[in-house]
Amino acid sequence: MNDYKIKISFPSGKQIETAPGVTAAQYTNELGVPKNELYAVKMNNEVCSLNRAIIVDTDLVPVTSKSPEGAIVYRHTLCFVMEAAQHNIAPDKQLIIGHSISYGYYYTFKDGTKITSDFIKSLKAEMDRLIKENLPIDTHFVSYQKAIEICEKFGLEETKKQLTYTCLPRIQMNLMGDFSDIHISPLLISTGMLNQFELMEYGEGFLLRFPRSHTPEKLPEFEDIPVLQKTFEKYKKWGKQLGVVSVASLNELVNKRKANDFINITETFQEKCISEIADQIQRKGQVRLVLIAGPSSSGKTTTSKKLALELQAIGYTPKVISLDSYYVGRDRNPKDENGNYDYECLEALDVELINQNLVDLLAGKTVELPRYDFTSGERYYKGDYMTLEPNDILVMEGIHGLNDKLTPLVKNEFKFKLYLSALTQLSLNEHNLISTSDNRLIRRIVRDSNFRGKPAATTISMWASVQKGERLHIFPFQNNADAILNTALDYELSVLKVYAEPLLRCIRPDQVEYAEACRLLRFLNNFPPIPAAQVPDRSIIREFIGGSAFKY
């Protein structure tokens, strides 16, 4: 008789001993949160569905509706139910996930036909039915062959192709009724908690919209970003022309030893896009100041250098002004709610001095530019003088570049605003997208390790604060951009994987960042490794892995 016991510890400090194989769903009363707010649990800091079997000594922590992890669980479950609903009403069709916009995922039909309002209404009605019935969602493992059969049954061609490259002996599937699919995130254990969502007609398809993590009880107002949608469609069309629309396609290229060709094509296409932006600046006529903005690790530094070269090629002489030199100093720097210096708010910069320097430069005057000592927290001068000649153009990159409050004294006709986004057109498969935020986080983990000596756990621990700053100071101004450059390279995660995986594996299960490390490792497991030697020395990726032809 097997009398082996495991120990389960709860947030209250209570511990129990039990036989292995129980689930967290059996102990929801011990987790200290209302059941309608309990989305999942952390088992030894790994996010898991409530129906996941507990087989070792485990610390259980609730994952709630207002947590970032809970928001991911909710969104993936919503997608799963929507996919099941689509299969029920139109099994001959296939929905493909695109990108995220305004707290929603963009879906289109795989065959390219426009999605009608009648289809959206039918889909919404079927989703409402599935949610009202509060159907159980099971997570289970199947054999490789069984997974292939399921993919064939539901027409999941990209998922099937991806399985042939990952070749796992058992595949984790999600099951609701007779519908199955793969999601890389844990899901809710039933459909009844999906009480906030919207299907909104958009473009050639629709948006599946969902709540923010901190306000799960309501949907945010929709904020359209037409220039971002136009950029995505441009890159999606390019990917279709090349026949590379998913990670499975990338795996196929690597398997056939054609990765180097794809890398060169990808880099050339991005260079062409930067060249087109330089031409757009020239066509505007009176531009004297180029403002480059984008979220963390979007490649602002390399892009500014590449754009400067393109501007030189058409007759300009670019000169760079660093916003980092214009911090007000610690004696005047605002602090956040935790009492830490807030270097990301506009008030941390000496806006008055910035504008005075810009006005003087545009008037042909010579200006002594400041420097900033981050150690002492003070501004100083060291004889850095600048004068603008007739063909000179200023390039200034920083998070506030699209905010007109940064440069109110500079006439709009003198300014060109460029927004950067790491918006890959690849998806993992039909129903799992590649998040721009994940792409940038992995870039930053690699860069912080290579150039700042920071472990991955430190970068992850700071990421929520970084994202908060982006939501406040960058994303609201995207529509102010004259142009958007997609800085994502569709092969890059295969390169970054080689650096990021060992860094993420150093995060221990007793660290709170372990949950995010597990999620990112599951994500990266889909990508084939590509050696850094194949990356050109002027690539944006060199900003993160090193070996760039540019000096930073």
Side-chain angles (χ1 to χ4, degrees):
M1 182 175 179
N2 187 357
D3 58 356
Y4 175 69
K5 300 287 187 182
I6 60 170
K7 183 186 296 181
I8 302 176
S9 302
F10 299 98
S12 64
K14 180 179 178 180
Q15 294 182 332
I16 64 168
E17 286 191 346
T18 184
V22 297
T23 67
Q26 298 172 237
Y27 300 101
T28 54
N29 292 334
E30 303 289 349
L31 293 171
V33 296
K35 288 185 179 180
N36 66 335
E37 297 178 10
L38 181 63
Y39 284 0
V41 288
K42 288 184 181 179
M43 296 185 183
N44 296 331
N45 282 322
E46 180 183 3
V47 179
C48 304
S49 296
L50 288 167
N51 55 16
R52 168 90 166 262
I54 304 173
I55 57 175
V56 297
D57 291 352
T58 301
D59 288 327
L60 278 188
V61 176
V63 172
T64 67
S65 58
K66 291 189 176 182
S67 67
E69 297 94 344
I72 292 173
V73 171
Y74 186 96
R75 294 169 191 179
H76 278 260
T77 309
L78 189 62
C79 293
F80 177 70
V81 172
M82 188 274 294
E83 292 148 14
Q86 177 262 308
H87 175 72
N88 290 346
I89 67 170
D92 58 325
K93 287 288 189 178
Q94 182 63 255
L95 284 172
I96 302 295
I97 197 167
H99 63 297
S100 61
I101 181 171
S102 190
Y103 294 93
Y105 295 144
Y106 180 56
Y107 284 88
T108 55
F109 279 140
K110 185 177 182 179
D111 62 12
T113 56
K114 182 175 175 59
I115 294 178
T116 65
S117 56
D118 286 343
F119 174 83
I120 295 172
K121 289 177 184 176
S122 298
L123 185 62
K124 173 68 162 58
E126 180 64 6
M127 289 182 68
D128 287 340
R129 183 186 72 81
L130 296 175
I131 292 168
K132 184 178 181 180
E133 292 185 10
N134 194 25
L135 300 173
I137 300 173
D138 185 29
T139 302
H140 62 285
F141 286 95
V142 299
S143 68
Y144 169 82
Q145 188 56 46
K146 182 65 176 177
I148 294 294
E149 291 173 5
I150 291 172
C151 289
E152 291 173 347
K153 176 181 177 181
F154 294 106
L156 303 174
E157 295 177 8
E158 294 299 317
T159 303
K160 175 185 173 182
K161 187 161 65 171
Q162 178 68 353
L163 291 177
T164 64
Y165 290 110
T166 51
C167 296
L168 297 173
R170 60 177 194 159
I171 314 296
Q172 183 171 294
M173 304 289 292
N174 305 117
L175 175 68
M176 182 181 67
D178 67 347
F179 180 76
S180 290
D181 197 4
I182 297 175
H183 277 269
I184 60 173
S185 167
L187 304 184
L188 298 170
I189 60 171
S190 64
T191 62
M193 297 178 75
L194 298 172
N195 51 17
Q196 291 293 331
F197 74 96
E198 176 187 20
L199 297 184
M200 191 184 90
E201 193 170 351
Y202 188 80
E204 295 295 306
F206 65 88
L207 293 176
L208 173 62
R209 302 195 66 237
F210 39 75
R212 296 184 175 100
S213 60
H214 57 284
T215 53
E217 70 283 354
K218 64 179 182 179
L219 293 174
E221 288 187 20
F222 175 67
E223 298 178 8
D224 199 5
I225 312 172
V227 67
L228 192 66
Q229 175 67 8
K230 185 178 179 181
T231 301
F232 173 77
E233 289 175 349
K234 173 182 178 180
Y235 277 82
K236 198 69 179 176
K237 180 180 179 182
W238 173 79
K240 286 182 179 179
Q241 289 173 341
L242 292 180
V244 184
V245 297
S246 72
V247 177
S249 307
L250 185 61
N251 270 288
E252 191 171 31
L253 285 174
V254 172
N255 185 259
K256 293 181 177 179
R257 300 184 180 181
K258 294 182 178 180
N260 200 51
D261 290 340
F262 182 65
I263 289 170
N264 290 333
I265 293 169
T266 304
E267 294 284 350
T268 301
F269 183 66
Q270 190 173 86
E271 295 275 0
K272 182 175 182 290
C273 292
I274 296 172
S275 177
E276 290 172 352
I277 290 169
D279 291 339
Q280 191 177 340
I281 291 169
Q282 188 179 48
R283 286 195 301 272
K284 193 173 179 181
Q286 301 183 61
V287 176
R288 302 300 307 279
L289 173 64
V290 178
L291 295 153
I292 301 176
S296 174
S297 300
S298 56
K300 295 185 290 292
T301 305
T302 303
T303 298
S304 64
K305 293 180 181 297
K306 286 190 161 193
L307 181 60
L309 288 175
E310 295 290 348
L311 290 169
Q312 282 181 283
I314 57 176
Y316 290 99
T317 302
K319 292 187 175 179
V320 178
I321 290 183
S322 174
L323 278 178
D324 286 353
S325 300
Y326 287 90
Y327 282 115
V328 295
R330 288 190 193 140
D331 56 332
R332 296 167 52 196
N333 204 106
K335 294 183 178 180
D336 62 20
E337 65 274 12
N338 299 316
N340 300 317
Y341 290 110
D342 185 355
Y343 291 106
E344 296 189 338
C345 65
L346 184 62
E347 293 73 19
L349 296 172
D350 193 333
V351 174
E352 183 179 353
L353 180 61
I354 291 169
N355 281 268
Q356 186 59 57
N357 283 176
L358 290 174
V359 168
D360 288 344
L361 285 167
L362 294 174
K365 297 179 182 179
T366 299
V367 169
E368 185 179 9
L369 301 176
R371 293 189 181 189
Y372 187 79
D373 187 328
F374 283 90
T375 302
S376 65
E378 296 178 346
R379 187 191 305 148
Y380 67 100
Y381 290 85
K382 201 173 180 180
D384 299 317
Y385 292 96
M386 180 181 287
T387 307
L388 284 190
E389 302 298 333
N391 286 337
D392 290 351
I393 188 168
L394 292 170
V395 177
M396 189 159 63
E397 59 102 345
I399 65 172
H400 299 287
L402 303 187
N403 185 349
D404 284 325
K405 291 182 178 180
L406 176 70
T407 54
L409 299 185
V410 180
K411 294 180 180 180
N412 284 332
E413 57 262 36
F414 293 162
K415 294 186 282 192
F416 187 93
K417 299 170 190 170
L418 174 60
Y419 178 72
L420 308 185
S421 177
L423 184 69
T424 179
Q425 62 87 23
L426 288 183
S427 59
L428 284 181
N429 51 35
E430 289 87 351
H431 299 151
N432 289 271
L433 57 68
I434 295 175
S435 160
T436 61
S437 177
D438 285 349
N439 198 341
R440 292 186 293 107
L441 174 55
I442 291 167
R443 281 180 173 185
R444 182 152 175 168
I445 286 170
V446 173
R447 185 189 66 188
D448 283 357
S449 174
N450 282 339
F451 303 111
R452 300 174 184 178
K454 291 182 180 179
T458 300
T459 302
I460 290 172
S461 69
M462 296 169 55
W463 193 241
S465 176
V466 170
Q467 289 184 300
K468 179 183 177 182
E470 294 167 353
R471 289 192 298 269
L472 290 173
H473 306 304
I474 300 176
F475 297 150
F477 304 101
Q478 292 174 89
N479 276 329
N480 292 347
D482 294 295
I484 288 184
L485 175 69
N486 181 8
T487 65
L489 295 162
D490 287 343
Y491 73 88
E492 70 173 88
L493 285 165
S494 287
V495 176
L496 294 170
K497 165 190 176 125
V498 178
Y499 294 83
E501 282 188 336
L503 299 173
L504 292 167
R505 294 190 193 283
C506 287
I507 299 177
R508 304 185 309 273
D510 60 355
Q511 294 178 273
V512 293
E513 295 81 14
Y514 185 73
E516 185 71 343
C518 288
R519 188 183 70 83
L520 292 174
L521 284 167
R522 285 197 302 270
F523 170 66
L524 287 171
N525 188 54
N526 292 280
F527 293 85
I530 293 178
Q534 294 183 247
V535 180
D537 62 5
R538 284 180 29 172
S539 172
I540 278 177
I541 306 310
R542 290 290 177 186
E543 183 175 330
F544 307 98
I545 66 173
S548 177
F550 298 113
K551 292 183 179 180
Y552 298 107

